[in-house]
Amino acid sequence: MELIDGKAIAESLLQELEAEVKNHVTQGMPIPTIAFIRVGEDPASITYVRKKESIAARLGFKSRLKTFPEDVTEAALFACIDDLNKDTSVHGILIQAPLPNHLSEQKTFNRVSPKKDVDGFSSSNLGKLCQEDPHSFVACTPAGIVELLKQSNVTTAGKHIVILGRSLIVGKPAALIFMGKGSLGNATVTVCHSQTKDLASITQQADILIAAVGKPHLVTESMVKKGAIVIDVGMNRIEDSSTKRGYRLTGDVDFDRVAPRCSKITPAPGGVGPMTVAMLMKNTWKAYQLQTSS
Ligand code: GUN
């Protein structure tokens, strides 16, 4: 069994990007800038946005953080997005999900200018992904999974990829990528969700199993074919009074039991998570280059 070390792979991508960005900025060019919007005080969202801000700073990007109370109106949130869309010194906009229930994520993501949509969640960028248009911004978690597989010399053509979860953030864009004709495409893709019957009979067929449902240890060893590649996107907080924080993070996969059956597996945390942040930075750099080259 080989551990796919997302932390190390992300670090090498960031080092490459850091050198490229710093070389560019020292030539007196404008500084790439990403704006983060966070609504409410969800502790996980606070942590994720802080992490993204700190990696952006490390690369030499500027970042702006706009925070709103849980009960912010759609009008106030959209006014902020509109201002950021118009501001030519801002190149990327990220609205941290999940949003409170009274706000439509779909409408909110669509409010972001497609050229600043570094999350790739707008209908414009998702539509382009569906059309296999290389000029789209691809959602960061699926893009990170693709990069992890590439760097681990995994090919996908002809393989059966089973994705657990149909979210806009992971499952749907991942399915589009793997069923497409790109370098990590040409797979047969099955997407499972909460209404799927006899889940184990499907996951047992997977050459590559991607778990992105947010249910701790949902994937057990009896659900995994021997020699499969398992990618764990889960990042679940479970209570643990023995830790200082009172919780620990765990994936959707029962790692200790599943790992011995796999040919390759990502740890969680330390697998997909760092890649998501690295791909966000790559998308921000791409957005900057597209906006400053004309
Ligand atoms: N919440 C969980 N993952 C993501 C992500 O990739 N982008 C945003 N904006 N919110 C998230």
Side-chain angles (χ1 to χ4, degrees):
M1 184 273 297
E2 177 192 327
L3 197 66
I4 301 179
D5 188 348
K7 214 167 150 187
I9 296 172
E11 178 55 31
S12 87
L13 283 177
L14 288 174
Q15 278 178 17
E16 239 174 70
L17 191 56
E18 186 175 359
E20 198 179 336
V21 172
K22 292 206 164 141
N23 178 38
H24 176 88
V25 170
T26 49
Q27 292 169 25
M29 301 297 284
I31 298 181
T33 301
I34 177 164
F36 299 105
I37 297 179
R38 179 169 57 72
V39 178
E41 298 298 322
D42 172 51
S45 292
I46 294 173
T47 307
Y48 293 145
V49 172
R50 267 200 207 124
K51 183 77 194 167
K52 290 167 188 174
E53 287 180 296
S54 94
I55 301 282
R58 169 196 158 174
L59 294 182
F61 292 174
K62 276 191 196 155
S63 64
R64 295 195 202 161
L65 174 61
K66 308 271 183 190
T67 58
F68 291 96
E70 184 85 16
D71 61 355
V72 65
T73 61
E74 183 186 270
L77 181 62
F78 284 10
C80 171
I81 298 170
D82 292 348
D83 284 346
L84 293 168
N85 281 339
K86 276 184 237 138
D87 187 337
T88 53
S89 66
V90 171
H91 308 99
I93 301 171
L94 178 138
I95 302 155
Q96 185 65 30
L99 290 174
N101 286 338
H102 70 282
L103 296 168
S104 154
E105 287 192 348
Q106 186 187 338
K107 267 178 88 180
T108 307
F109 293 145
N110 284 341
R111 194 81 183 190
V112 176
S113 162
K115 61 181 193 193
K116 298 189 180 186
D117 172 28
V118 287
D119 251 333
F121 295 160
S122 64
S123 55
S124 166
N125 278 307
L126 280 164
K128 283 184 182 166
L129 178 63
C130 194
Q131 292 179 336
E132 305 197 37
D133 178 340
H135 302 297
S136 69
F137 288 106
V138 177
C140 304
T141 302
I145 295 170
V146 164
E147 201 56 38
L148 277 184
L149 293 173
K150 267 191 195 158
Q151 305 253 356
S152 309
N153 300 313
V154 175
T155 58
T156 52
K159 301 220 171 119
H160 188 184
I161 301 187
V162 175
I163 299 171
L164 304 184
R166 54 181 157 183
S167 69
L168 192 75
I169 293 180
V170 188
K172 282 196 188 94
L176 288 170
I177 295 169
F178 292 121
M179 74 171 80
K181 293 188 178 147
S183 61
L184 270 212
N186 295 304
T188 302
V189 179
T190 304
V191 180
C192 301
H193 48 74
S194 53
Q195 303 288 312
T196 298
K197 295 226 163 50
D198 197 3
L199 188 61
S201 73
I202 300 171
T203 59
Q204 281 158 3
Q205 298 170 38
D207 301 309
I208 301 173
L209 179 62
I210 300 173
V213 276
K215 287 200 168 31
H217 294 186
L218 173 85
V219 177
T220 55
E221 75 260 48
S222 63
M223 295 168 70
V224 178
K225 179 166 81 174
K226 204 160 186 317
I229 295 164
V230 173
I231 305 292
D232 189 354
V233 184
M235 189 68 82
N236 308 294
R237 288 182 175 213
I238 56 172
E239 255 181 57
D240 185 345
S241 54
S242 71
T243 67
K244 217 166 96 190
R245 300 180 295 190
Y247 69 88
R248 70 190 153 83
L249 291 172
T250 191
D252 289 351
V253 176
D254 186 348
F255 182 89
D256 292 342
R257 295 212 166 89
V258 170
R261 289 188 68 74
C262 300
S263 59
K264 297 175 198 274
I265 186 168
T266 61
V272 176
M275 291 301 290
T276 299
V277 183
M279 300 321 280
L280 172 69
M281 299 304 143
K282 282 195 91 161
N283 276 353
T284 305
W285 181 233
K286 177 174 162 178
Y288 168 85
Q289 288 177 307
L290 288 171
Q291 286 162 59
T292 53
S293 66
S294 48

